[in-house]
């Protein structure tokens, strides 16, 4: 079995966090990036041939994956291959949909002539043994298996729902139904028999924006292929919104988290750029937090996830926040419910996450949850105050802040990335 | 780089007491994330030495595990690479390495097959960063036969565990004594040598014929009047960890901001084998002051002025003060540790107390983890 990992999406609901990086390359949990989870699942499941389909802002993703050394995917045969869209004689197009992306890489899969193809997306946090799913697929003589998980019935109308008979065979699909007949939501993880996948992609090649959920699966279903649902009951988190991204990070710092990174079994691998240990000074106070390598802390950190190589100055307070790799927080700065992307510099005594919970004026659906979000390489001058539901990017100076304040719900976009 | 590297990592030291029971000195964990050989290997890699041989003998398995892949130090190249040479039985030789010169002698074939004109010899227990290009330039400029990297002895150090030397104004070494009873000077050898490869082969072959086995005694000291042996002074951080005291102090040095800045933040980096461990986790009730904490650790108790290596668990209500806790130690609840070095993979049962009175106390309690 080979795996095809869809990692080309922008993840626009993560706002400025994905302004310069694809969503799978967004940092997570102190030292990881989101794509580490499916990639580690692959190697832990014994899958050593993985095609990673990239499109949106692939630089960080490409450098992270490299030749796959951290995941032991540097192989003589197989290994990891990054597959960007490419120019073709005749019709050239971007990856217009998930299935279209796979279709454009038929030649890659053909070269391995696999029995089965696993389709994954690069933006979920979970541990899953794909080999168990493959066993299930085989034992049910399935043509297509779809991983599903039970969700609360009242939330089922947000998902693509599958209805199964008592043997696990799928009898009906409902896309975001008003009156769901079941609570099994599709996780976007599929195993196809190679012949079935190839045939359906060829048939649907002219379909615009060809998508697995919308086109390929219904096509296979309509053709009478044997579709089965593989029920998964572990931890699975879609970190598609700032709220769920923040929440998933916060869940890691529970005393015994539901999603436990400290288990010897099923390790999550990542590329380590920063090796030295972290230093906690005599003035620091830390509680309920995850802290990455090479970080130096002189301030106070509570309920937070801090990445590698971060510096937190004297008297600074970081509360309920996520700070990614390489950011520097000046002396006396205060962060409440803030997400700092990579290499952000926060000036001394700046205060983030103050004031009322006013909805964001430009993108109320993205910048909500009461979070202050700061894009990568942003500079925040000393002494300013920044409200809730805000987004800040670029090299900002004191003059950008009226009376030294960016009120709740406002957006300060000096990098020009918020459209 | 026009030199090959040789790292002498085979020796044992009684001064390390229990700490060397299960590992080579060169594999001693340092500063939370590293092992001592990483410093020599990284300096060579960063100086673009492409071919490095590590000569191992005593407790070599620990070191071999650490060196299982050469990619961490960027030696996984088609040109050169990282070689590990334990003693080997041949038709001509059935001995272990009987000394540093003998170790070189037993690997003379490899040295003869190299094409690089110079050789850099370094021990595996030095904690430093060094640009070997500069030493080599100096060696060539001085038209030296052997260049010895040396430095001023830090005040209060025990002289008798070093090689002491005295140089003239031109930095040529006039006196050299190995581990003397009384100090002849305050300049010590760092055990790092640069020598022309053909010169080294000639010297070592001679040692072999004469049945002499020690590089310092039988080469440097014996030839100091007939060969041009020069000293290259360094002033940057250097320490060796050949005793429990110095091992403890070297780790504690990393609590100083200037030492951390020098090794962790200034170019070039020190590399090591990557263990895939999650970030360190601080649970409610923990208190950490002036300490280094490494990845994979989980802290519930009180930690002060200590260096915690990777994958350490500190239970609730613990007090850990002025300690060096090596890899994968599990400390149960209500444990009190002060001035201790806790051996790796130890499991300390709840309510235990260890306090080092005169110097660091080495805790080797191997309680069974899964019976707790």
């Amino acid at each position: 079995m080979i795996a095809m990992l869809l990692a080309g999406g922008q993840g626009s609901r993560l706002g400025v966090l994905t302004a310069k990086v694809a969503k799978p390359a967004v940092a997570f949990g102190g030292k990881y990036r989101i794509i580490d989870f499916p990639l580690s699942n692959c190697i832990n499941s014994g899958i050593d041939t993985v095609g990673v389909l990239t499109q949106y802002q692939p630089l960080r993703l490409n450098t992270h994956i490299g030749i796959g050394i951290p995941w032991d995917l540097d192989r003589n045969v197989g290994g990891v291959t990054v597959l960007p869209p490419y120019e073709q004689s005749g019709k050239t197009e971007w990856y217009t949909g998930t299935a279209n992306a796979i279709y454009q890489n038929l030649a890659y899969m053909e070269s391995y002539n696999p029995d089965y193809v696993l389709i994954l997306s690069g933006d979920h946090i979970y541990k899953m043994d794909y080999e168990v799913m493959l066993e299930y697929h085989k034992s049910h003589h399935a043509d297509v298996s779809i991983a599903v998980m039970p969700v609360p019935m009242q939330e089922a109308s947000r998902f693509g729902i599958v209805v199964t008979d008592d043997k696990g065979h799928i009898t009906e699909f409902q896309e975001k139904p008003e009156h769901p007949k079941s609570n099994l939501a599709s996780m976007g993880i599929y195993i196809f028999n190679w012949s079935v996948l190839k045939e359906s992609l060829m048939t649907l090649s002219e379909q615009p924006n060809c998508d697995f959920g919308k086109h390929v699966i219904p096509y296979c279903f309509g053709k009478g292929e044997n579709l089965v649902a593989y029920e998964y009951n572990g931890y699975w988190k879609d970190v598609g919104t700032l709220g769920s991204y923040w929440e998933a990070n916060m869940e890691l710092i529970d005393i015994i988290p539901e999603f436990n990174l400290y288990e010897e079994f099923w390790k999550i691998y990542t590329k380590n750029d920063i090796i030295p240990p972290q230093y906690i000074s005599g003035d620091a106070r830390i509680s309920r937090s995850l802290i990455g390598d090479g970080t130096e802390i002189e301030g106070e950190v509570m309920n937070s996830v801090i990445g590698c190589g971060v510096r937190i100055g004297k008297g600074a307070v970081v509360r309920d926040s996520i700070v990614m790799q390489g950011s520097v927080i000046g002396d006396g700065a205060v962060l409440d419910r803030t997400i700092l992307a990579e290499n952000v510099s926060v000036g001394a005594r700046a205060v983030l996450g103050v004031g009322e919970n006013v909805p964001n004026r430009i993108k109320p659906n993205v910048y909500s949850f009461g979070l202050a979000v700061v894009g990568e390489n942003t500079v925040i001058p000393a002494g300013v105050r920044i409200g809730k539901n805000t987004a800040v990017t670029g090299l900002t100076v004191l003059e950008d802040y009226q009376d030294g304040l960016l009120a709740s719900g406002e957006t300060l976009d000096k990098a020009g990335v918020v459209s | 780089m026009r030199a090959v590297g040789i790292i002498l990592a085979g020796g044992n030291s009684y001064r390390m007491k229990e700490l060397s029971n299960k590992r080579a000195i060169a594999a001693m964990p340092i500063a939370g994330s590293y092992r001592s050989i990483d410093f020599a290997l990284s300096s060579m890699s960063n100086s673009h030495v492409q071919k490095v041989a590590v000569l191992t003998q005593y407790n070599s398995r620990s070191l071999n595990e650490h060196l299982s892949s050469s990619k961490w130090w960027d030696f996984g190249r088609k040109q050169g690479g990282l070689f590990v040479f334990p003693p080997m039985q041949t038709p001509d030789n059935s001995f272990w390495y009987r000394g540093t010169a003998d170790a070189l002698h037993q690997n003379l074939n490899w040295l003869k097959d190299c094409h690089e004109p110079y050789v850099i010899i370094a021990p595996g227990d030095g904690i430093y960063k060094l640009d070997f290009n500069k030493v080599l330039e100096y060696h060539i400029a001085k038209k030296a036969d052997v260049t010895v990297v040396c430095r001023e002895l830090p005040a209060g150090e025990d002289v008798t565990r070093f090689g002491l030397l005295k140089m003239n104004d031109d930095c040529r070494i006039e006196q050299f004594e190995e581990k003397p009873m009384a100090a002849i000077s305050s300049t010590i050898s760092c055990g790092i040598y640069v020598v022309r490869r053909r010169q080294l082969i000639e010297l070592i072959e001679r040692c072999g014929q004469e049945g002499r086995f020690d590089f310092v005694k039988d080469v440097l000291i014996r030839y100091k009047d007939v060969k041009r042996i020069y000293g290259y002074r360094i002033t940057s951080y250097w320490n060796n960890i050949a005793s429990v005291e110095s091992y403890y102090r070297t780790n504690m040095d990393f609590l100083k901001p200037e030492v951390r800045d020098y090794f962790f933040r200034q170019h070039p980096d020190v590399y090591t084998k990557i263990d895939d461990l999650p970030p360190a986790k601080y649970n409610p009730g923990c208190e950490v002051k002036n300490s280094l904490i490494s990845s994979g650790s989980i802290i519930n108790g009180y930690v002060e002025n200590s260096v915690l290596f990777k994958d350490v668990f500190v239970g609730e209500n613990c007090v850990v003060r002025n300690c060096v806790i090596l890899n994968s130690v599990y400390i149960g609840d209500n444990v009190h540790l002060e001035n201790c070095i806790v051996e790796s993979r130890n499991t300390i049962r709840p309510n235990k107390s260890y306090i080092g009175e005169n110097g660091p106390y080495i805790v080797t309690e191997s309680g069974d983890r899964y019976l707790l």
Side-chain angles (χ1 to χ4, degrees):
Chain A
M1 181 159 73
I2 69 168
M4 299 295 275
L5 178 49
L6 296 157
Q10 177 182 2
S12 53
R13 285 173 305 158
L14 286 179
V16 295
L17 296 187
T18 54
K20 290 283 168 62
V21 296
K23 180 171 156 191
V26 171
F28 183 85
K31 68 189 287 190
Y32 304 99
R33 295 184 189 275
I34 296 171
I35 199 172
D36 292 335
F37 296 89
L39 276 180
S40 300
N41 285 340
C42 279
I43 195 69
N44 288 337
S45 306
I47 300 169
D48 60 9
T49 306
V50 183
V52 180
L53 297 106
T54 63
Q55 175 158 287
Y56 175 78
Q57 291 279 11
L59 176 61
R60 187 80 48 85
L61 199 53
N62 289 346
T63 47
H64 184 65
I65 294 171
I67 59 165
I69 287 176
W71 305 272
D72 256 351
L73 285 168
D74 49 328
R75 297 290 167 131
N76 285 338
V77 178
V80 68
T81 310
V82 176
L83 304 166
Y86 53 94
E87 196 174 2
Q88 305 172 37
S89 57
K91 189 175 90 176
T92 297
E93 55 179 359
W94 294 98
Y95 294 156
T96 57
T98 52
N100 176 269
I102 304 290
Y103 169 72
Q104 291 197 38
N105 288 290
L106 273 178
Y108 170 77
M109 293 182 283
E110 193 98 64
S111 68
Y112 290 103
N113 194 23
D115 293 330
Y116 307 97
V117 178
L118 172 69
I119 309 287
L120 301 168
S121 71
D123 43 13
H124 299 140
I125 307 295
Y126 63 110
K127 296 181 189 175
M128 181 171 173
D129 192 339
Y130 304 130
E131 208 167 10
V132 175
M133 182 172 169
L134 180 63
E135 288 306 315
Y136 185 89
H137 179 86
K138 285 183 192 162
S139 66
H140 281 69
H141 306 287
D143 297 307
V144 185
S145 294
I146 304 176
V148 296
M149 65 180 299
V151 293
M153 207 63 188
Q154 59 269 26
E155 284 179 37
S157 52
R158 294 200 293 121
F159 295 91
I161 294 296
V162 299
V163 185
T164 61
D165 65 13
D166 51 359
K167 289 200 182 92
H169 297 283
I170 294 173
T171 55
E172 197 182 337
F173 285 95
Q174 300 179 304
E175 187 62 28
K176 302 197 169 115
E178 261 179 60
H179 303 289
K181 283 195 203 160
S182 121
N183 68 337
L184 295 176
S186 167
M187 298 160 66
I189 299 166
Y190 312 101
I191 291 179
F192 283 85
N193 285 352
W194 166 231
S195 53
V196 173
L197 178 65
K198 190 173 163 188
E199 193 271 328
S200 37
L201 289 177
M202 305 277 267
T203 312
L204 293 171
S205 62
E206 293 303 316
Q207 171 72 40
N209 302 333
C210 192
D211 182 271
F212 274 99
K214 289 200 195 92
H215 307 113
V216 176
I217 298 295
Y219 168 79
C220 293
F221 187 61
K223 229 181 107 204
E225 307 282 12
N226 183 9
L227 273 66
V228 299
Y230 169 74
E231 192 174 323
Y232 170 79
N233 282 302
Y235 183 93
W236 183 85
K237 193 95 182 175
D238 177 32
V239 288
T241 66
L242 287 169
S244 62
Y245 172 80
W246 182 81
E247 216 175 81
N249 272 284
M250 290 303 139
E251 281 169 7
L252 293 174
I253 55 185
D254 292 340
I255 295 197
I256 297 177
E258 195 188 340
F259 188 71
N260 197 342
L261 293 167
Y262 294 81
E263 290 164 341
E264 270 299 303
F265 179 68
W266 217 267
K267 269 191 178 178
I268 304 298
Y269 302 96
T270 189
K271 181 166 174 256
N272 286 265
D273 302 316
I274 295 173
I275 301 172
Q278 54 198 266
Y279 175 74
I280 314 296
S281 88
D283 306 323
R285 280 180 54 198
I286 298 174
S287 148
R288 260 183 63 86
S289 295
L290 282 188
I291 298 179
D293 295 329
T295 289
E296 302 230 348
I297 296 181
E298 297 183 83
E300 198 174 319
V301 179
M302 278 176 296
N303 293 330
S304 296
V305 176
I306 312 291
C308 299
V310 172
R311 285 184 150 187
I312 298 179
K314 277 199 186 72
V317 179
V318 179
R319 234 180 272 127
D320 304 315
S321 296
I322 299 166
V323 180
M324 296 185 200
Q325 185 167 328
S327 287
V328 179
I329 298 171
D331 294 350
V334 178
L335 275 67
D336 263 304
R337 280 180 80 94
T338 299
I339 302 178
L340 295 190
E342 292 170 44
N343 303 315
V344 171
S345 160
V346 177
R349 300 176 320 281
V351 184
L352 283 81
V354 291
E356 298 293 311
N357 205 340
V358 181
N360 188 276
R361 277 198 304 131
I362 303 175
K363 291 192 168 178
N365 300 329
V366 175
Y367 304 107
S368 51
F369 316 101
L371 294 164
V373 185
V374 183
E376 63 179 68
N377 301 321
T378 297
V379 177
I380 294 175
V384 299
R385 290 177 300 139
I386 293 172
K388 295 192 168 90
N389 299 326
T390 48
V392 183
T393 68
L395 205 163
T396 68
V397 292
L398 192 56
E399 285 72 46
D400 299 324
Y401 299 83
Q402 214 172 18
D403 303 326
L405 172 74
L406 183 74
S408 291
E410 296 297 318
T411 304
L412 176 56
D413 180 27
K414 294 275 287 231
V417 290
V418 179
S419 52
Chain B
M1 182 72 171
R2 296 188 295 151
V4 293
I6 294 178
I7 296 179
L8 302 169
N12 181 23
S13 167
Y14 70 93
R15 290 188 183 86
M16 288 304 271
K17 299 184 187 156
E18 298 94 320
L19 289 176
S20 65
N21 280 357
K22 63 177 190 187
R23 65 171 82 76
I25 309 289
M28 286 301 297
I30 295 287
S33 303
Y34 306 93
R35 288 180 184 264
S36 75
I37 197 170
D38 291 334
F39 294 84
L41 282 175
S42 301
S43 286
M44 291 205 175
S45 174
N46 288 327
S47 308
H48 306 289
V49 178
Q50 286 187 310
K51 196 189 284 181
V52 174
V54 180
L55 308 187
T56 69
Q57 174 161 286
Y58 176 79
N59 259 344
S60 58
R61 194 194 298 150
S62 55
L63 194 55
N64 287 342
E65 278 170 20
H66 187 61
L67 303 179
S68 62
S69 171
S70 53
K71 62 184 163 194
W72 311 119
W73 303 272
D74 227 357
F75 285 124
R77 301 286 140 216
K78 290 191 172 180
Q79 303 265 325
L82 181 67
F83 304 89
V84 180
F85 294 146
M88 172 170 77
Q89 287 201 333
T90 63
D92 317 323
N93 174 58
S94 56
F95 294 103
W96 293 85
Y97 293 155
R98 287 164 290 182
T100 44
D102 189 41
L104 294 169
H105 188 253
Q106 290 192 30
N107 292 290
L108 218 49
N109 281 344
W110 178 78
L111 214 48
K112 282 177 175 167
D113 288 343
C114 291
H115 60 84
E116 289 83 351
Y118 296 96
V119 182
I120 297 162
I121 301 173
D125 62 356
I127 309 303
Y128 61 92
K129 281 195 205 177
L130 185 57
D131 184 351
F132 290 116
N133 290 297
K134 290 201 177 125
V135 189
L136 184 59
E137 270 169 36
Y138 177 91
H139 177 83
I140 293 166
K142 289 283 181 194
K143 296 190 172 63
D145 290 310
V146 183
T147 299
V148 179
V149 177
C150 59
R151 84 188 297 273
E152 288 306 302
L153 187 71
E157 278 277 359
D158 171 21
V159 291
T160 58
R161 62 187 189 89
F162 296 105
L164 269 72
L165 46 88
K166 214 172 189 174
M167 297 184 281
N168 67 11
D169 293 342
D170 191 35
C171 288
R172 183 164 173 180
I173 292 172
E174 293 182 324
Q175 281 186 50
F176 198 128
E177 277 192 65
E178 178 71 349
K179 302 189 175 82
M181 295 306 288
I184 52 163
S185 77
S186 60
T187 309
I188 56 165
S189 158
C190 298
I192 302 165
Y193 317 112
V194 173
V195 51
R196 199 156 51 79
R197 187 173 55 92
R198 292 194 182 283
Q199 174 81 77
L200 179 67
I201 291 169
E202 196 180 292
L203 290 168
I204 295 296
E205 268 180 341
R206 186 93 177 261
C207 281
Q209 285 158 11
E210 296 170 351
R212 296 175 186 274
F213 304 132
D214 190 72
F215 190 77
V216 175
K217 263 206 322 266
D218 300 325
V219 177
L220 295 180
I221 294 176
R222 194 166 140 86
Y223 285 91
K224 69 176 187 297
D225 298 328
V226 287
K227 296 284 182 190
R228 294 166 60 86
I229 302 182
Y230 277 79
Y232 176 88
R233 265 182 213 280
I234 54 169
T235 50
S236 51
Y237 186 93
W238 176 91
N239 226 325
N240 92 333
I241 50 152
S243 73
V244 172
E245 267 299 319
S246 65
Y247 174 69
Y248 179 81
R249 222 176 31 235
T250 303
N251 276 302
M252 287 301 171
D253 274 349
F254 283 84
L255 295 178
K256 298 175 189 158
E258 67 276 11
V259 175
R260 272 202 317 280
D261 187 62
Y262 178 62
F263 282 103
F264 296 168
R265 294 193 183 267
Q266 285 178 30
H267 183 79
D269 287 346
V270 182
Y271 314 108
T272 189
K273 183 182 170 194
I274 302 291
D275 293 313
D276 293 275
L277 291 164
K281 186 154 179 271
Y282 297 78
N283 282 336
C286 79
E287 205 179 336
V288 181
K289 301 238 170 278
N290 188 34
S291 296
L292 281 174
I293 312 287
S294 308
S295 51
S297 295
I298 300 178
I299 320 280
N300 292 294
Y302 180 83
V303 178
E304 189 186 358
N305 301 335
S306 297
V307 178
L308 270 61
F309 285 72
K310 293 173 189 170
D311 191 24
V312 170
F313 181 90
V314 180
E316 284 173 34
N317 286 321
C318 285
V319 175
V320 177
R321 198 177 279 133
N322 307 327
C323 286
V324 175
I325 316 278
L326 301 192
N327 302 308
S328 303
V329 169
Y330 182 99
I331 302 173
D333 295 347
N334 310 317
V335 168
H336 189 105
L337 296 170
E338 230 173 299
N339 306 328
C340 290
I341 298 174
V342 182
E343 178 59 292
S344 65
R345 286 175 226 282
N346 265 9
T347 301
I348 301 189
R349 289 161 199 278
N351 309 317
K352 283 268 188 176
S353 172
Y354 291 104
I355 296 173
E357 298 290 347
N358 304 310
Y361 177 79
I362 300 171
V363 182
T364 52
E365 193 189 292
S366 49
D368 196 336
R369 176 123 353 148
Y370 301 98
L371 287 179
L372 280 171

